[in-house]
């Protein structure tokens, strides 16, 4: 290589030493292995760059507090404080509620409040579905140009990044957590996600039998669950023991909801009518315990987008009712069409 003068692994085209150019950045998996070995030997974490040495070019991330979250969430301060306190203690919580209560939006804002910063590099998100697998979430073999390689799934990869950065909180959100085959997807994680198992002494080999794995203490998991989907089976009792469940309810009476609609230019009488009519509808849905109940109430998020440009407020109201609320009611009361017709007349009656 040196005789040809070409740029190579150790020498450049001027025959100068290419010092360090043949080195590559350690992967999170390798970093995890080295860090555990160092901890066993020295009793502390490996003092590598990511942990202890701030980089000059590092992006400045603004702090994010609970007060910042409460500015945009339809939650009362005590409720939000209780959620964060419970989350910090249990490590794993599930926000459950009917469609349209803003679970996904609340999850992101509460995650940033828990982390203390709007740092998306410490925020993970997946959505479970019937085809989601252990290989997607934990680890599995993936096809390559030459065969198959064992690769970490999204959650394991996320945990290894968190383990390399133990002083900061990491949040992993699982949307539609009850849509997946939880026992199949989680595998060994059913044990490892428990809040009292977040320690290297609980590390165990995954299905491949390769590097032992554990869930770091700085990883907090948040599941989102729709309570109005009849097609979903009851959540596994083993999973229920590992998560704390928090109910998120419609909050059309929140002052922030009224302020939001007023900001769109909606007339006060239309806002009053919307809140009154949907409130009456929710009262009947919640009272229909034989078929529906609180988990099927109409959420405020159906109305949070506001009218389109140059759309009249009454036209917007009718559009939302006809294309979103009434189709949902037809699903709810599929065996009681007369009840749906009565509510259609009431919701769309002249104001």
């Amino acid at each position: 290589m040196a005789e040809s003068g070409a740029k190579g692994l150790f020498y450049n085209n001027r025959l100068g030493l290419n010092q360090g150019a043949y080195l590559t950045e350690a992967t999170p998996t390798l970093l995890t292995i080295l860090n555990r070995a160092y901890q066993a030997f020295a009793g502390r974490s490996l003092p590598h760059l990511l942990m202890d040495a701030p980089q000059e070019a590092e992006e400045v991330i603004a702090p994010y507090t609970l007060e910042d979250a409460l500015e945009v969430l339809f939650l009362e301060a005590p409720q939000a404080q209780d959620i964060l306190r419970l989350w910090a203690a249990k490590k794993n919580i599930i926000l459950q509620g009917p469609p349209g209560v803003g679970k996904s939006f609340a999850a992101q804002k509460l995650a940033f409040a828990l982390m203390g910063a709007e740092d998306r590099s410490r925020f993970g998100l997946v959505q479970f579905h019937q085809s989601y697998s252990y290989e997607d979430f934990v680890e599995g073999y993936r096809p390559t140009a030459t065969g198959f390689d064992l690769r970490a799934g999204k959650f394991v990869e996320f945990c290894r990044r968190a383990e390399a950065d133990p002083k900061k909180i990491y949040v992993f959100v699982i949307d539609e957590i009850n849509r997946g085959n939880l026992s199949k997807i989680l595998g060994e994680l059913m044990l490892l996600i428990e809040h009292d198992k977040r320690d290297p002494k609980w590390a165990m080999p995954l299905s491949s039998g390769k590097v032992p794995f554990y869930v770091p203490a700085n990883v907090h998991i948040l599941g989102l669950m729709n309570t109005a989907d009849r097609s979903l089976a009851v959540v596994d009792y083993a999973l229920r023991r590992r998560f704390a469940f928090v109910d998120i309810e419609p909050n059309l009476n929140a002052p922030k909801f009224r302020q939001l609609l007023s900001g769109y230019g909606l007339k006060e009488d239309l806002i009053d009518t919307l809140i009154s009519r949907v409130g009456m509808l929710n009262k009947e849905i919640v009272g229909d315990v034989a078929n529906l109940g609180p988990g099927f109430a109409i959420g405020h998020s159906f109305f949070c987008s506001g009218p389109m440009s140059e759309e009249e407020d009454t036209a917007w109201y009718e559009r939302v009712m006809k294309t979103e609320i009434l189709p949902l009611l037809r699903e709810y009361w599929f065996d009681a069409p007369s009840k749906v017709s009565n509510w259609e007349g009431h919701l769309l009656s002249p104001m």
Side-chain angles (χ1 to χ4, degrees), residues 65-223:
T65 65
L66 178 59
E67 288 70 27
D68 294 323
L70 289 173
E71 288 183 5
V72 294
L73 293 178
F74 296 165
L75 296 175
E76 299 297 329
Q79 181 185 11
Q81 291 169 350
D82 288 344
I83 292 173
L84 292 184
R85 191 177 300 113
L86 177 64
W87 199 1
K90 187 72 174 178
K91 302 292 186 184
N92 315 313
I93 66 171
I94 287 179
L95 300 184
Q96 62 178 2
V101 293
K103 296 184 291 295
S104 300
F105 183 76
Q108 188 180 79
K109 300 306 178 184
L110 290 172
F112 293 150
L114 185 71
M115 292 190 293
E118 194 171 350
D119 187 352
R120 296 184 181 276
S121 67
R122 294 188 276 136
F123 179 84
L125 174 65
V126 298
Q127 185 181 72
F128 280 0
H129 48 78
Q130 293 179 348
S131 297
Y132 207 82
S133 67
Y134 178 92
E135 290 75 15
D136 297 318
F137 198 64
V138 183
E139 71 172 10
Y141 285 91
R142 298 296 184 189
T144 66
T146 58
F148 290 86
D149 283 345
L150 179 67
R151 295 183 183 177
K154 291 183 179 180
F155 183 72
V156 169
E157 188 179 63
F158 183 84
C159 286
R160 284 171 176 161
R161 293 206 317 269
E163 186 181 358
D165 191 16
K167 296 180 181 179
K168 295 180 180 178
I169 293 175
Y170 281 63
V171 172
F172 196 89
V173 175
I174 305 173
D175 191 23
E176 304 285 2
I177 189 171
N178 54 335
R179 284 190 178 274
N181 185 334
L182 297 178
S183 297
K184 178 181 178 182
I185 294 173
L186 296 179
E188 303 90 341
L189 297 184
M190 192 70 81
L191 170 70
L192 298 179
I193 63 173
E194 292 188 47
H195 71 280
D196 58 347
K197 306 293 190 300
R198 305 295 192 86
D199 191 274
K201 67 183 181 182
W202 285 97
M204 66 170 62
L206 299 175
S207 63
S208 66
K210 300 286 185 179
V211 181
F213 171 79
Y214 77 101
V215 179
N218 61 331
V219 171
H220 293 68
I221 303 172
L222 175 60

Side-chain angles (χ1 to χ4, degrees), residues 298-323:
I298 304 299
H300 48 266
S301 295
F302 285 104
F303 309 97
C304 286
S305 59
M308 299 173 61
S309 59
E310 300 181 359
E311 183 180 29
E312 295 290 336
D313 53 5
T314 54
W316 164 79
Y317 171 85
E318 291 179 359
R319 173 172 61 83
V320 175
M321 290 299 175
K322 289 179 180 179
T323 62

